[in-house]
Amino acid sequence: MKPNIGENIKKLRNEKQVTQEQLAEHLSISYQAVSKWENNVTTPDIFLLPVIAEYFEVPIDEIFKVNMKGYKNKAARLFALYDYGDREHKKENFNKAEAEYEKLIAENKMDGEDMRLYGILNQFYAQVLNKKAEEMLKKSVEMGIERSEGQLMGLLRSQGRHEENIKKYEELMKNDPDNVRWWNLLASSHNDFDKKSDTVKKGLKKFPNDAGLLNRYAEICKNQGKYDEAIEYYKKSVEQNNEIGSSYYAMAFLYKDMEKYKESIQAWEEVIALHDRLGLPDEEIEMGKEWPKQEIAKLKMLIENNGE
């Protein structure tokens, strides 16, 4: 069967609720030309097809479909434009589709299929963002920003690219075995608990006072249920570097799990003190303190309820 381009244009025009005259005006042609398309007398000039597709916000392929059924709503049409008609997955097309799905949510008109497509839309755009994030972090690493290396590792790890990280840091360790950064990053790259533990233990033999490795060994102890030993190593970590916020946070939560609420409060107070020491802008300091203050308030209520 041959595609009925004119009929498809008519369906799209009716969906968009525009007249032949309005379409013709947008294309700078006569309305009679549009009428001839829709009556299968003539077909549009090939150079007009991208303009027509853009006007109706559909992939060009849509215009050539046999028995085109159209879309259940504008959100689905814009999803198709982003998915099939935009191989670059541009932000502007994502934003258009997102706005329509959010409108459906606000109007309580979202059904299961809409939710499925909205989920896929965000999944595709997340891939675009991750690709951009990886590009920027690699450039930052090349420019000598050390923090970016760990963030790049974490990004790849979140995508399940553990082996890529492991291969990279094993090679860096081989060439530069006295650089403790590679030991820390290799340990973080491992998804296998035993391999992570083995790397940390070997690293601590070589660098017994490294705050990062001490922090990672504390995590290993915690995961094994050795809470007292974990606390001991968290403390050793902050003794070596009192600006490792993750150790304070970890102790705060671990003390709470151990029902040592007073000690947990002390750990949260260390988090607050850390924000003061870091010399951040006032707004960032206050934002960083808000969560610890909320946790301290909860802990004080637990202490009060327990009659301590």
Side-chain angles (χ1 to χ4, degrees), residues 6-59:
E7 183 178 329
N8 290 345
I9 290 174
K10 184 176 181 179
K11 287 179 180 178
L12 292 168
R13 182 175 61 77
N14 289 334
E15 182 189 325
K16 195 175 177 72
Q17 297 182 341
V18 295
T19 64
Q20 290 182 344
E21 289 82 358
Q22 288 171 315
L23 174 58
E25 182 180 354
H26 180 79
L27 299 174
S28 299
I29 59 175
S30 67
Y31 78 89
Q32 289 92 342
V34 175
S35 178
K36 288 180 181 180
W37 299 342
E38 294 184 359
N39 287 297
N40 207 27
V41 176
T42 61
T43 56
D45 188 293
I46 191 170
F47 296 107
L48 279 177
L49 291 176
V51 184
I52 294 170
E54 182 180 8
Y55 180 71
F56 289 122
E57 298 178 298
V58 295

Side-chain angles (χ1 to χ4, degrees), residues 254-294:
L254 187 52
Y255 274 131
K256 183 178 180 181
D257 290 341
M258 297 167 70
E259 298 184 355
K260 294 184 177 182
Y261 303 133
K262 291 180 180 178
E263 289 85 346
S264 182
I265 288 174
Q266 290 174 357
W268 281 117
E269 287 174 343
E270 290 291 347
V271 173
I272 292 173
L274 173 62
H275 281 84
D276 286 325
R277 289 199 304 273
L278 292 177
L280 299 171
D282 290 343
E283 288 185 4
E284 289 189 35
I285 291 175
E286 287 307 311
M287 289 174 63
K289 289 180 177 180
E290 189 60 33
W291 183 19
K293 288 178 180 177
Q294 292 174 3

Side-chain angles (χ1 to χ4, degrees), residues 172-203:
L172 287 167
M173 277 177 57
K174 181 180 177 181
N175 296 329
D176 187 12
D178 293 326
N179 190 330
V180 71
R181 287 178 64 216
W182 310 138
W183 288 85
N184 275 290
L185 289 164
L186 178 60
S188 296
S189 298
H190 280 299
N191 198 39
D192 182 273
F193 180 82
D194 291 335
K195 290 180 179 179
K196 180 191 292 287
S197 178
D198 185 58
T199 300
V200 172
K201 289 175 182 177
K202 287 180 179 178

Side-chain angles (χ1 to χ4, degrees), residues 74 197 244 279:
K74 185 177 179 180
S197 178
I244 294 189

Side-chain angles (χ1 to χ4, degrees), residues 199-208 210 213-214 217 233:
T199 300
V200 172
K201 289 175 182 177
K202 287 180 179 178
L204 280 174
K205 287 182 180 179
K206 191 175 181 66
F207 309 98
D210 180 72
L213 290 172
L214 290 165
Y217 189 71
Y233 276 90

Side-chain angles (χ1 to χ4, degrees), residues 64-290:
F64 289 92
K65 279 186 176 179
V66 176
N67 296 325
M68 186 188 77
K69 296 180 180 179
Y71 298 95
K72 59 180 292 191
N73 52 41
K74 185 177 179 180
R77 172 162 50 80
L78 292 174
F79 169 82
L81 174 64
Y82 183 79
D83 185 14
Y84 306 112
D86 175 17
R87 295 307 177 187
E88 295 180 9
H89 287 177
K90 297 174 185 174
K91 183 177 181 180
E92 61 192 70
N93 288 331
F94 169 81
N95 289 342
K96 287 179 183 178
E98 181 187 41
E100 286 302 317
Y101 281 113
E102 288 298 320
K103 187 185 295 183
L104 289 178
I105 292 173
E107 294 172 355
N108 199 26
K109 295 179 180 178
M110 196 84 150
D111 64 20
E113 178 62 12
D114 291 323
M115 292 176 185
R116 185 183 75 84
L117 293 180
Y118 193 21
I120 295 172
L121 177 76
N122 280 279
Q123 179 186 5
F124 286 162
Y125 194 55
Q127 292 170 358
V128 173
L129 294 177
N130 280 332
K131 184 178 179 180
K132 187 69 174 179
E134 183 176 345
E135 178 188 346
M136 292 298 104
L137 286 170
K138 283 181 176 178
K139 288 182 178 179
S140 181
V141 169
E142 290 170 3
M143 295 169 71
I145 307 301
E146 289 191 0
R147 292 177 61 192
S148 298
E149 185 68 60
Q151 289 159 338
L152 176 60
M153 179 277 298
L155 176 65
L156 299 188
R157 191 173 188 275
S158 70
Q159 297 173 30
R161 295 161 66 180
H162 307 287
E163 292 304 318
E164 189 175 333
N165 276 328
I166 290 167
K167 183 178 179 180
K168 173 182 178 180
Y169 296 119
E170 282 181 341
E171 185 65 25
L172 287 167
M173 277 177 57
K174 181 180 177 181
N175 296 329
D176 187 12
D178 293 326
N179 190 330
V180 71
R181 287 178 64 216
W182 310 138
W183 288 85
N184 275 290
L185 289 164
L186 178 60
S188 296
S189 298
H190 280 299
N191 198 39
D192 182 273
F193 180 82
D194 291 335
K195 290 180 179 179
K196 180 191 292 287
S197 178
D198 185 58
T199 300
V200 172
K201 289 175 182 177
K202 287 180 179 178
L204 280 174
K205 287 182 180 179
K206 191 175 181 66
F207 309 98
N209 296 319
D210 180 72
L213 290 172
L214 290 165
N215 176 279
R216 284 169 175 78
Y217 189 71
E219 284 293 312
I220 291 168
C221 293
K222 184 184 76 171
N223 291 335
Q224 293 176 323
K226 301 175 182 177
Y227 291 168
D228 290 329
E229 191 174 352
I231 291 293
E232 176 188 347
Y233 276 90
Y234 282 129
K235 288 181 177 180
K236 287 181 179 181
S237 174
V238 296
E239 284 173 5
Q240 298 301 321
N241 183 349
N242 67 359
E243 293 187 358
I244 294 189
S246 59
S247 290
Y248 293 120
Y249 282 103
M251 281 192 286
F253 286 118
L254 187 52
Y255 274 131
K256 183 178 180 181
D257 290 341
M258 297 167 70
E259 298 184 355
K260 294 184 177 182
Y261 303 133
K262 291 180 180 178
E263 289 85 346
S264 182
I265 288 174
Q266 290 174 357
W268 281 117
E269 287 174 343
E270 290 291 347
V271 173
I272 292 173
L274 173 62
H275 281 84
D276 286 325
R277 289 199 304 273
L278 292 177
L280 299 171
D282 290 343
E283 288 185 4
E284 289 189 35
I285 291 175
E286 287 307 311
M287 289 174 63
K289 289 180 177 180
E290 189 60 33

